Amino acid sequence: MRHRSAIVVSIAVIGALSLSACGSRGGKSGDTAGGKDNNASTTVVIGVDAPLTGDLSALGLGIRNSVDLAVKNANATNEVPGVKFEIKALDDTAKPAPGQQNATQLVSDPKVLGVVGPLNSSVAQSMQQIFDDAGLTEISPANTGVALSQGEKWATGDKKRPFKSYFRTATTDAVQGPFAAQFLYNDAKKTKVFLIDDQKTYGAGLASTFKGEFTKLGGTLAGEEHVNPDDRDFSAIVTKVKASGADAVYYGGEYPVAGPLSLQLKDAGVNIPLMGGDGIQSDEFIKLNPKSQGDFATAVGLPVASLDTAKKYIDDYAKAGYKDAYETYGGYSYDSAWAIIEAVKNVVANNNGKLPTGDGVRKTVRDAVQKISFDGVTGKVSFDEFGDTTNKQLTVYTVKDGKWAVEKSGTFNG
């Protein structure tokens, strides 16, 4: 290569420093992620922030591994001449405080030019300002909380983007909640729903958008309750649901609560479906609930396994030997990382084949991310004026014979 400077640019992926950043196959965090180095003289590190330990680690590890795979592939094909990519993974344990600490750590490293993550909307809230002050690109493959990109007053029609550095490849709860409501009311013919949420940014927001559309359609709420994310005994709520006459439960939250909640309902003879969002659409939900047959979940986008655009990703992921499944957000994580890679590629191409140096390079990459458009694993990848994905498709899944099966795919008609 022509450039032999020792510049290192990092795109941070949020995961634990003590864990391998190269999938599950060894290596220290921050190590080069496989592939040919092509004698590259400039190293770009992609950072990842996700829960790599704890209850939601199944989703977080799928995020980390998918970013690692994108880096490996970019290096193997010399995607950006003169640039070699690495990842740096930090663990947020699905909690805002560690996420905020990770954001500060990533910003303090001048080599970091972009971050993939986090998983949780509540964690994103804790790090957005830090990233934005530094002009550091953050692309979440999983956040669905609407206010993150459209501001706190979005529901009134007053939409204002709070942070130019924030992007996401997952669609928002402004469409996910109503899409679920339309399915339950129009397709599943459920008219009386008991609404429960975990009081977190994601869960409460999702429940709220579901409620608005479901009641608008003519459905009624049999009751409303809140749980704590650490709760596992739901006997009091089960009693209320049983007495309410509800024909379905809608839960705003994630699988560590949704699985036991649904199981305890069934054990008590409340044989009605529980439905939730992408936070429960994991194989872990089924493992936690052997009686989950007939439960529903929505997930962003179309089923990755059914997409022609995802065949190479799925094959590469299997060949890479990761012990963890790519899970719900794997394809979106790969596309998030590739968006950063594409942005770096465009910046280098527009700067006579060199990566710019100095304090402004992060903002240059951020502005390039806003303009990218390419065919990714999950379909067309591009961002609107709020930094939201332009892909608004969703899928309803149901549990059949111990596996998630596609029930319906489409877009929200609102």
Side-chain angles (χ1 to χ4, degrees):
M1 295 299 110
R2 293 176 296 168
H3 317 297
R4 303 200 175 272
S5 60
I7 299 171
V8 177
V9 181
S10 300
I11 301 174
V13 180
I14 306 171
L17 283 173
S18 61
L19 296 176
S20 163
C22 298
S24 303
R25 302 184 295 165
K28 297 178 181 178
S29 179
D31 285 352
T32 301
K36 305 172 186 176
D37 67 10
N38 298 304
N39 297 316
S41 56
T42 301
T43 300
V44 174
V45 180
I46 299 183
V48 180
D49 177 89
L52 304 184
T53 59
D55 288 341
L56 294 174
S57 61
L59 299 178
L61 291 169
I63 291 172
R64 183 197 64 184
N65 293 346
S66 296
V67 176
D68 181 69
L69 182 61
V71 165
K72 284 179 167 65
N73 285 346
N75 289 339
T77 60
N78 196 23
E79 187 66 26
V80 184
V83 171
K84 179 176 67 176
F85 292 93
E86 296 179 355
I87 80 167
K88 182 176 184 178
L90 306 176
D91 184 12
D92 63 25
T93 68
K95 293 181 173 61
Q100 187 175 63
Q101 293 167 2
N102 290 342
T104 300
Q105 180 178 341
L106 293 168
V107 164
S108 68
D109 183 349
K111 299 176 296 182
V112 176
L113 290 191
V115 176
V116 176
L119 168 71
N120 304 88
S121 294
S122 55
V123 175
Q125 286 180 316
S126 75
M127 53 177 54
Q128 281 182 304
Q129 187 70 61
I130 297 171
F131 286 141
D132 200 63
D133 287 346
L136 182 58
T137 297
E138 170 190 12
I139 307 180
S140 173
N143 293 163
T144 55
V146 190
L148 295 172
S149 58
Q150 299 179 24
E152 294 295 336
K153 298 180 180 179
W154 69 270
T156 66
D158 184 13
K159 300 179 181 180
K160 293 181 180 177
R161 185 176 185 177
F163 304 105
K164 289 180 67 176
S165 64
Y166 179 81
F167 303 85
R168 55 177 140 202
T169 52
T171 195
T172 74
D173 291 333
V175 294
Q176 183 174 205
F179 186 75
Q182 289 186 355
F183 170 79
L184 269 188
Y185 190 84
N186 294 328
D187 297 283
K189 307 302 181 183
K190 305 299 182 183
T191 59
K192 192 176 182 182
V193 169
F194 201 103
L195 188 65
I196 305 170
D197 72 73
D198 65 359
Q199 306 179 76
K200 291 168 63 176
T201 303
Y202 162 72
L206 183 61
S208 176
T209 58
F210 171 88
K211 176 181 177 180
E213 182 67 14
F214 190 73
T215 54
K216 176 183 172 182
L217 290 168
T220 58
L221 296 183
E224 293 185 65
E225 282 293 336
H226 308 286
V227 298
N228 293 314
D230 295 328
D231 288 349
R232 295 297 181 267
D233 180 358
F234 306 106
S235 54
I237 288 180
V238 167
T239 299
K240 292 180 180 180
V241 174
K242 190 172 186 177
S244 73
D247 53 16
V249 168
Y250 188 81
Y251 175 68
E254 295 146 336
Y255 64 78
V257 165
L261 172 60
S262 177
L263 178 60
Q264 290 173 41
L265 284 166
K266 271 73 167 180
D267 283 344
V270 187
N271 294 312
I272 59 177
L274 178 144
M275 186 173 192
D278 53 323
I280 80 167
Q281 203 270 311
S282 167
D283 289 343
E284 297 300 312
F285 172 81
I286 299 172
K287 291 178 184 178
L288 290 168
N289 180 13
K291 296 182 180 181
S292 56
Q293 178 86 0
D295 284 346
F296 298 108
T298 49
V300 298
L302 300 177
V304 169
S306 70
L307 299 175
D308 289 340
T309 53
K311 288 181 179 178
K312 185 178 185 303
Y313 160 75
I314 294 172
D315 185 52
D316 287 350
Y317 195 96
K319 289 179 179 178
Y322 301 114
K323 70 177 183 180
D324 318 293
Y326 57 78
E327 280 282 356
T328 304
Y329 305 108
Y332 299 91
S333 303
Y334 189 99
D335 284 346
S336 295
W338 206 263
I340 297 172
I341 291 167
E342 282 287 319
V344 171
K345 183 178 180 179
N346 292 338
V347 167
V348 169
N350 292 329
N351 193 52
N352 298 317
K354 299 179 181 179
L355 189 70
T357 58
D359 295 339
V361 64
R362 284 176 168 172
K363 292 183 179 179
T364 302
V365 171
R366 178 201 65 192
D367 294 345
V369 168
Q370 181 66 59
K371 299 175 183 177
I372 62 96
S373 179
F374 64 94
D375 294 322
V377 169
T378 60
K380 178 66 72 176
V381 179
S382 60
F383 303 105
D384 64 16
E385 68 270 30
F386 300 105
D388 290 331
T389 177
T390 55
N391 182 352
K392 307 297 184 185
Q393 294 174 309
L394 294 129
T395 299
V396 176
Y397 295 85
T398 187
V399 180
K400 291 182 180 179
D401 301 323
K403 295 181 180 179
W404 287 108
V406 175
E407 186 77 14
K408 178 182 181 180
S409 294
T411 56
F412 167 59
N413 298 312

